[in-house]
Amino acid sequence: MDQLPALVGVVVGTLGSYAVQSLTERRRWTRQREERWDEKRFETYGRYGNALKSQLRVAQRIGAALGFSDVADPLEPADGLPLLAEAESHRATEWESVLLVGDAATIAAARRWHEAVWTIELLVREGPVDARMWTKAHRLASGARDAFYESARRDLGIAGAPPPGEWPRSWRAELSD
């Protein structure tokens, strides 16, 4: 009977130690899992942005061959359309990863961006369009791109938004004054 308090103390100490260690391990595991998912989302968003930017770049080069002066490196439609189809396939593959790891706001922003790029793609596929429509489509795509990166940064816990894109580029407007 004299040793009962000591025995109770050992049992309580053991249970307390076990509980603290379990909570510590659980928190460590949760933190490591969150870090892995943050890293995965970062890589996924980056790959998706690069794929969509490549698709846009091919469409812009075809547009340059059609006479749009805001883009360099013309690419004839006959040569560029297969590259555009390949870029779209690559983008669609990367899209699946965004759907898997992205939050709802970032997925919606990514969808708006690729739909804006599709508009530019349709313009080059349909042939010559007026310069105002071309510029407007690029402004929409630029705004959608900014919204995607702002949402992705928020999802990743990165403070602040990236600087907004402008179309046509401000330096071109400065040259024409």
Side-chain angles (χ1 to χ4, degrees), residues 16 21 36 48 57 64 69 73 79 86 91-92 114 117 133 137 156:
Q21 186 174 359
R36 281 193 311 269
Y48 186 74
R57 183 70 184 124
S69 62
D73 302 329
D79 297 327
E86 184 178 317
R91 186 223 46 93
H114 74 237
V117 170
M133 187 181 291
L156 294 168

Side-chain angles (χ1 to χ4, degrees), residues 133-147:
M133 187 181 291
W134 179 256
T135 299
K136 184 175 181 178
H138 276 79
R139 282 189 181 137
L140 292 172
S142 183
R145 175 186 173 270
D146 292 347

Side-chain angles (χ1 to χ4, degrees), residues 5-161:
L7 184 59
V8 169
V10 168
V11 169
V12 168
T14 301
L15 290 175
S17 177
Y18 175 77
V20 167
Q21 186 174 359
S22 292
L23 286 173
T24 302
E25 284 300 314
R26 184 175 191 86
R27 285 185 188 140
R28 181 180 304 139
W29 180 83
T30 300
R31 187 175 56 248
Q32 287 173 344
R33 185 186 68 186
E34 288 171 359
E35 288 172 1
R36 281 193 311 269
W37 278 111
D38 281 349
E39 185 176 316
K40 181 58 83 177
R41 279 195 311 270
F42 174 80
E43 291 170 1
T44 298
Y45 292 158
R47 281 193 319 268
Y48 186 74
N50 288 332
L52 197 47
K53 187 69 175 186
S54 294
Q55 182 179 352
L56 176 60
R57 183 70 184 124
V58 173
Q60 288 174 327
R61 290 183 63 204
I62 296 169
L66 296 174
F68 297 112
S69 62
D70 290 328
V71 183
D73 302 329
L75 182 62
E76 290 300 320
D79 297 327
L81 290 175
L83 296 175
L84 193 56
E86 184 178 317
E88 165 57 20
S89 289
H90 179 66
R91 186 223 46 93
T93 299
E94 295 296 340
W95 172 244
E96 297 305 317
S97 295
V98 173
L99 289 172
L100 183 64
V101 302
D103 70 347
T106 305
I107 290 169
R111 181 174 280 123
R112 281 190 300 276
W113 186 21
H114 74 237
E115 288 172 352
V117 170
W118 286 346
T119 300
I120 294 167
E121 182 177 335
L122 288 173
L123 292 176
V124 299
R125 286 184 182 281
E126 291 174 358
V129 294
D130 70 49
R132 288 184 320 151
M133 187 181 291
W134 179 256
T135 299
K136 184 175 181 178
H138 276 79
R139 282 189 181 137
L140 292 172
S142 183
R145 175 186 173 270
D146 292 347
F148 168 75
Y149 281 111
E150 187 175 328
S151 184
R153 289 170 63 96
R154 187 174 34 256
D155 185 31
L156 294 168
I158 300 170

